[in-house]
């Protein structure tokens, strides 16, 4: 038997099967998956899972590593390359081994922004990165063929952002409906998928104006400025236009039941729904003030509970963190503060805590939500499962009680909206590409670098 690079022993991998497994790794792949009684030979690195759950590394479908504001560039971890180093450390410590990360937003060339991000990820990312693109203006719409040839398969479109709000978020722009229709057609023609931030700009503009006039003192006020009707209205438009273009589409960061109802009603088979842990775990009553500003917004406690019920009922396909890297200084008030929450390092622990430990979700279903479904949706066939031939992106879990502290999350961000929350499960060990990178609170292989998966895909087959 050829010698292994790494061996995991005594792994629990199934709810209804009490047998433990040994997992052998060589050259970044799983090459043996056997009963714990079977001797797989020697390895220079042995991880004794000791009966703990061992699961595929999480895939965060929605992160914004490298989306920075120039006024904070002097802070540790807030330059471009440093940010990839800091935030991917935090991701790996949280059990995320692959991030579907957005190219830095702007009104300039999408392809140039993509190549800039690729360079930073190659130099500093501790995990695999698949870059999402975007279409925010006419020039970028025309860039879709070139972007697809460079390896991008997913393109985000925005519907709500206008004026000062768009400028404050780094030059984000929304397409009108005619441009969206053409974008769906072009994305489909080049073998891609669309991602849509579904909030209707007219409704948001009107409601935000009303709430700002009243001073917007609370998260509940901010939520009224971006009501659920805005999400539902935009989801209808997006799914209708995507269906006619025969373009696969994902409504991202679903915050309410409206997009769920729209998908049910439309029956469009190529539509997927992504949500984020903060819409289930946090709400407008959470005592976090402006640090809880995000778009779409946190909802009422009642709606957060309903969203959790919808997840349990199978209405959400996968999760992303929507990780943003603004420091606390950028989030001092609800009117002028930046929208976006940090969370990539807590996505998996929060889902395990809230859904598995508190609501009784099976671990198999949690694995689907955090890795398997995303791998299938975004054509990553060697990720999201454990077995011979899979990428050796593997997480060994711990259980008990652990308190969230922002200072322990490896991130450059100096706050967490989850500060003080008790976790019931979290990563003890994270293996990326067959290498032991994180274990028991420490980065043990900080020199590890992941792969830019867009490049691994090669040219667009369309």
């Amino acid at each position: 038997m050829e010698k292994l690079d790494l061996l995991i022993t005594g792994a629990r991998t199934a709810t209804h099967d009490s047998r433990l497994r040994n997992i052998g790794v060589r050259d970044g792949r799983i090459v043996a998956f056997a009963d714990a009684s079977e001797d797989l030979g020697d390895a220079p690195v042995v991880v004794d899972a000791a009966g703990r759950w061992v699961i595929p590394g999480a895939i965060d479908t929605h992160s914004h590593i490298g989306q920075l504001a120039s006024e904070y560039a002097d802070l540790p971890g807030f330059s471009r390359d440093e940010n990839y180093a800091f935030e991917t450390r935090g991701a790996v410590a949280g059990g995320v081994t692959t991030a579907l990360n957005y190219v830095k937003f702007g009104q300039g060339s999408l392809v140039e922004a993509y190549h800039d991000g690729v360079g930073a990820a190659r130099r500093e990312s501790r995990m695999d990165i698949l870059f999402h693109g975007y279409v925010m203006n006419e020039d970028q719409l025309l860039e879709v063929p070139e972007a697809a040839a460079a390896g991008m398969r997913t393109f985000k479109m925005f519907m709500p952002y206008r004026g000062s709000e768009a400028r404050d978020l780094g030059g984000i722009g929304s397409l009108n409906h005619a441009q969206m229709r053409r974008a769906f057609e072009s994305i489909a023609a080049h073998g891609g998928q669309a991602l849509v931030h579904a909030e209707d700009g007219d409704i948001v503009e009107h409601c935000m104006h009303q709430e700002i006039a009243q001073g917007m003192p609370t998260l509940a006020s901010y939520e009224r400025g971006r009501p659920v009707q805005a999400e539902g209205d935009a989801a209808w438009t997006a799914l209708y236009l995507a269906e006619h273009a025969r373009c696969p589409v994902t409504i991202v960061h679903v915050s309410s039941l409206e997009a769920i109802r729209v998908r049910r009603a439309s029956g469009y088979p190529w539509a997927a729904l992504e949500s984020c842990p903060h819409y289930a775990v946090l709400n407008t009553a959470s005592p976090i003030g402006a640090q809880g500003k995000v778009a779409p917004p946190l909802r009422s406690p009642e709606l957060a509970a309903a969203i959790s019920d919808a997840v349990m009922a199978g209405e959400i396909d996968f999760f992303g963190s929507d990780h943003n890297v603004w420091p606390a200084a950028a989030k001092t008030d609800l009117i002028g503060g930046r929208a976006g929450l940090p969370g990539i390092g807590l996505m998996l622990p929060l889902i395990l805590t809230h859904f598995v430990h508190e609501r009784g979700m099976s671990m198999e279903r949690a694995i689907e939500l955090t890795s398997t479904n995303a791998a299938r949706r975004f054509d990553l066939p060697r990720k999201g499962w454990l077995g011979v031939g899979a990428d050796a992106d593997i997480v060994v879990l711990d259980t008990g009680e652990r308190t969230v502290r922002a200072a322990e999350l490896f991130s450059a961000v100096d706050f967490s909206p989850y500060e003080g929350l008790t976790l019931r499960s979290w990563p003890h060990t994270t293996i990326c590409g067959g290498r032991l990178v994180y274990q028991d609170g420490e980065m043990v292989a900080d020199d590890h670098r992941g792969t830019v998966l867009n490049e691994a895909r090669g040219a667009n087959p369309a």
Side-chain angles (χ1 to χ4, degrees), residues 78 146 226 237 253 255 257 260 322 326 338 352 362 383 406 419:
F78 281 85
E146 183 182 356
R226 311 183 83 96
T237 298
H253 46 48
S255 72
L257 303 182
I260 293 170
D322 197 5
W326 316 128
R338 290 183 181 267
L352 296 174
S362 72
K383 298 188 183 296
E419 186 81 20

Side-chain angles (χ1 to χ4, degrees), residues 145-400:
E146 183 182 356
M152 276 183 275
R153 299 287 188 273
T154 46
F155 298 85
K156 186 174 186 179
M157 289 179 269
F158 294 90
M159 300 182 74
Y161 292 121
R162 302 172 181 181
S164 61
E165 184 178 37
R167 289 193 299 273
D168 289 345
L169 284 169
I172 289 178
S174 295
L175 300 182
N176 62 40
H177 292 182
Q179 290 172 319
M180 285 187 68
R181 175 174 174 267
R182 292 168 52 220
F184 280 128
E185 291 171 350
S186 182
I187 292 165
H190 290 87
Q193 301 185 42
L195 311 163
V196 176
H197 179 144
E199 288 183 290
D200 179 79
D202 292 331
I203 294 174
V204 169
E205 186 175 50
H206 171 76
C207 294
M208 285 290 283
H209 179 77
Q210 288 186 317
E211 294 300 321
I212 289 172
Q214 300 299 316
M216 198 176 282
T218 65
L219 283 170
S221 173
Y222 177 69
E223 192 276 336
R224 290 193 296 271
R226 311 183 83 96
V228 297
Q229 292 90 340
E231 188 166 83
D233 182 274
W236 271 114
T237 298
L239 293 195
Y240 177 78
L241 294 177
E243 181 177 14
H244 278 267
R246 298 185 64 80
C247 181
V249 60
T250 298
I251 306 298
V252 300
H253 46 48
V254 167
S255 72
S256 71
L257 303 182
E258 301 309 301
I260 293 170
R261 291 170 177 152
V262 169
R263 181 172 67 167
R264 282 187 204 150
S266 74
Y268 184 42
W270 293 345
L273 299 181
E274 168 204 273
S275 193
C276 309
H278 46 263
Y279 295 121
V281 176
L282 303 175
N283 56 67
T284 55
S286 299
I288 52 178
Q291 289 187 352
K293 181 178 180 180
V294 63
L298 302 179
R299 302 297 183 184
S300 69
E302 296 77 15
L303 187 47
I307 292 166
S308 294
D309 290 342
V311 172
M312 294 296 296
E315 300 278 11
I316 295 297
D317 298 298
F318 40 81
F319 273 88
S321 67
D322 197 5
H323 180 73
N324 276 263
V325 292
W326 316 128
K331 296 177 69 67
T332 56
D333 70 276
L334 285 163
I335 295 177
R338 290 183 181 267
L341 307 180
I344 194 169
L346 290 172
M347 183 186 80
L348 178 62
L350 289 170
I351 290 170
L352 296 174
T353 296
H354 184 70
F355 290 108
V356 175
H357 288 271
E358 295 178 0
R359 285 177 162 259
M361 177 182 285
S362 72
M363 186 64 77
E364 285 87 350
R365 175 61 180 154
I367 291 168
E368 289 176 355
L369 286 169
T370 57
S371 65
T372 308
N373 290 351
R376 290 172 179 163
R377 179 71 180 185
F378 298 106
D379 192 24
L380 301 171
R382 293 198 300 268
K383 298 188 183 296
W385 57 288
L386 297 180
V388 174
D391 282 352
D393 297 335
I394 305 169
V395 176
V396 181
L397 297 175
D398 239 342
T399 57

Side-chain angles (χ1 to χ4, degrees), residues 400-434:
E401 291 191 357
R402 176 183 172 186
T403 302
V404 174
R405 303 293 182 208
E408 299 174 357
L409 298 177
F410 291 90
S411 172
V413 180
D414 56 353
F415 77 97
S416 172
Y418 307 101
E419 186 81 20
L421 186 147
T422 299
L423 300 175
R424 298 290 305 280
S425 187
W426 59 89
H428 176 274
T429 300
T430 304
I431 295 159
C432 297

Side-chain angles (χ1 to χ4, degrees), residues 40 70 82 84 115 139 153 375:
L40 296 182
S70 59
E82 269 196 337
Y84 275 89
H115 288 305
D139 290 339
R153 299 287 188 273

